[in-house]
Structure formats: structure tokens, C-alpha cells
Amino acid sequence: MNPAAAEEEEADRPGRMGPWRFVVWFGTVSLLADFVYEGARSITGPLLASLGASALVVGVVTGAGEAAALGLRLVSGPLADRTRRFWGLAIAGYALTIVSVPLLGVVGVLWAACVLVIAERVGKAVRSPAKDTLLSHATAATGRGRGFAVHEAMDQVGALVGPLVVAGVLALTGGAYGPALGVLAVPGVAVLGLLAWLRARVPDPEAYERELTAAAATPAGQDGRLPRAFWTYAGFTAATTTGFATFGVLSYHLVQRHLLSAAWVPVLYAAAMAVDAVAALATGLLYDRLGPRVLIALPVLTAGVVALAFTDTVAVAVAGSLVWGAAMGIQESTLRATVADLVPSGRRATAYGLFAGVVGAASLAGGALTGGLYGYSIPVLIMVVVAIQVLAVVLLAVTRVDRR
């Protein structure tokens, strides 16, 4: 059944939400949630500093939070598959984030603020595998590439609006963190309300996918093993992510080489996030037509980032940062869509948890690699990253063979 026919069939059923409506409403949940936690993350460093934290403490706390956000998915993913409580875990994770953020503005002591910063990231770890699995069921009917792309584009809207609102409240209140973080409780309450409504309307999102695969001879995921193609795909993802420079390194180069002032870096970041959303939509549409072969764009873009961003010409370096945004868009949407196509429903949350662990480890390695080689030799950095991306292309080709 094609996606358009599936949507029409679902729309004709009284009281049943069509898969596209589910994707859009879930995207709205993510938009509002990003409003909350990206708004908070935009001022985490200054907030902790105002409570007496040193640069070391800020680095350790935020680093621990990111490690928790990715590493704990190795637990929450298998837990979601074992219990099948996808809605429960998704709501619990969102609730932990939404409670933690406003409290950051009122605790007033450093140790409590540090706990809340990490708790917010734990909330993301708890919900992400369950959330991606719920979304994957609806995108089976809409087209995986398009469904995940629309979700990512809406996600990025929240990531842009949240920090801007926080900045505005700080400006109006003379830098008071309490009101700036307190205002984020409003979209937070909306998140929980929407989730409760969605759960009531669509208690079993797996039905979207089950109806499309009802003719399958063997129930998905019964042997308990992840497909070989998933592991080669994880290898491809690890390789291309290991060569991916972080925006922190890019912005360091821009400021240290006096190409941009520090005040312009957030503006460039916002522009990169806009490119992120456009790239997610474009590659999502192509993915539904061409399949995983569209992902060859990711190693090409990753190599392009270091080749462009680390020059001493403003226009070229800025272009490199925008290319970084395009690569991020693919990472956050089409990479996740492919996992859903490679792994049967019964093991999908586990796969998403493992996949997040791979991405997290590779991101850490990539940040260390690009940061270290940047200080040693930019030409060597470019050559190493290009070599890694060639390996990534080979692993992508192996994934396509294993998938057949």
C-alpha cells in the first residue's frame, strides 16, 4: 500500500487519527519540548557560573549530561522493547525534562542546579528510544524519510524559538534567570497535555505498521537478534560521525582567526539550524524514492565541512558552517528513518538505544579527533577526515548488500 492510500484509508475510519496527523502532532510535541530544553541549554553555562561554578564544573556537568542522554539509552531502549510501555516511557522522560527546567531558575544553589541539568538530559535518554519507535510505526504508512524529516523540521523550530524567548526575557528582566526559565513551564505543560491527548487517541501506534505488514509470514523480531544490516549500518554511522567536526570547534576557529565576532556566532548557529531543517526535508523526500543510497550525501558533506570551515576566508568558512547544518539535518532525520527500515518492530527500541550509543561514542571521538588535529595541522585534519569518509561510503555499500 502506498503512503497516500494508507492516509486516505486511515482518514476514512471514524475516531481514528491518520498517520500523517499523528506525525504532525508528535512533531508539535517535540517542537514544544525543544522550546523548553534548548531554551534552558542556551544559558546553562552562565546560570551555573552565576551560582559559583568554575569552567571545569560547567564542563564536567554538561559533559556528564550529554553522556547520560546518549549512554542511558542502552538501558532504556531494551527496557522499552521488553515492557512494550512505549507511551509510558516517553511521557515519563518528557515529564522529567519539563519539571527539571523551571526548577533550575529557583533552586539557588550550585549542587542542586547541577543535579537538575543532568536530570534534564536523563529525561531525554528515557524517552528517546520509545519516542522514535512510536514515530517509526506511523512513518511506515507516511514514508519513513518524509515522516522523520517533517518531525525533525518541526523539532528545529522549537530549537530556534526557545533560546530567542529566553534571551528576550533576560533582556526584559535585567538578566534574571528565574523568570527566563520559569516561562518555559508554559510550553512544558502543553507538552504533557498533548501527550496525554495523543495517547488517548492513538493508544497503539504499532497498528499503523501492523496493518501494512499483516501479510508477513513470520512475526517481526521473534528470534531476538538484530539484523546483520543494522550492525554494518551502525559501522557506517560511526565512521561518518567520527569525522564530523563539532560546531564548538568550528566557532572556535571563526573567533580565534578573527573571521567573526563572538556576538555573530549564535546568528550563524541559527542559520545552520535553518539549513538543518531544509536538508532534513529534502533528504527525507529523496530517501522514500531512492532508499539508503541517499545517505551517501552525509560523508560527502562531512568531508566538505572541514575543507570549507577551516579556511581563513569569511565567506568560505561561513559556507562550511552551513554545510555542517545540512549534515546535522541528515543525521537527525534520515539516519533514524533507516534504523526503522532495517530493524523489525519487536527489537526497534533496542536498536535505537544501541544506535544512540554508537553515535555518542563516535561524536566524542570525532570531537577529540578534529579538535586535536586542528591544533596540529589543518591539512592533515582534512586528509584524515576524507579518508574516514571513504571508509564510511564502503560501509554504506556493505549495508545495502546485507539488507538484500
Side-chain angles (χ1 to χ4, degrees), residues 150-210:
V150 167
H151 182 271
E152 168 64 9
M154 297 181 72
D155 198 74
Q156 289 307 110
V157 171
L160 286 172
V161 174
L164 293 176
V165 169
V166 167
V169 175
L170 285 173
L172 289 173
T173 60
Y177 291 110
L181 291 166
V183 75
L184 299 177
V186 176
V189 171
V191 167
L192 295 180
L194 270 178
L195 282 170
W197 175 74
L198 265 180
R199 182 179 186 177
R201 287 294 307 275
V202 190
D204 181 24
E206 191 173 1
Y208 292 127
E209 185 169 356
R210 197 161 49 236

Side-chain angles (χ1 to χ4, degrees), residues 282-337:
T283 55
L285 290 171
L286 288 172
Y287 177 83
D288 287 338
R289 295 183 180 183
L290 304 176
R293 73 184 71 175
V294 73
L295 290 172
I296 196 171
L298 188 53
V300 172
L301 290 172
T302 298
V305 169
V306 293
L308 297 172
F310 294 130
T311 64
D312 289 328
T313 303
V314 175
V316 178
V318 167
S321 296
L322 298 180
V323 171
W324 177 88
M328 280 293 295
I330 299 174
Q331 285 188 349
E332 294 293 329
S333 60
T334 314
L335 279 182
R336 289 159 54 211

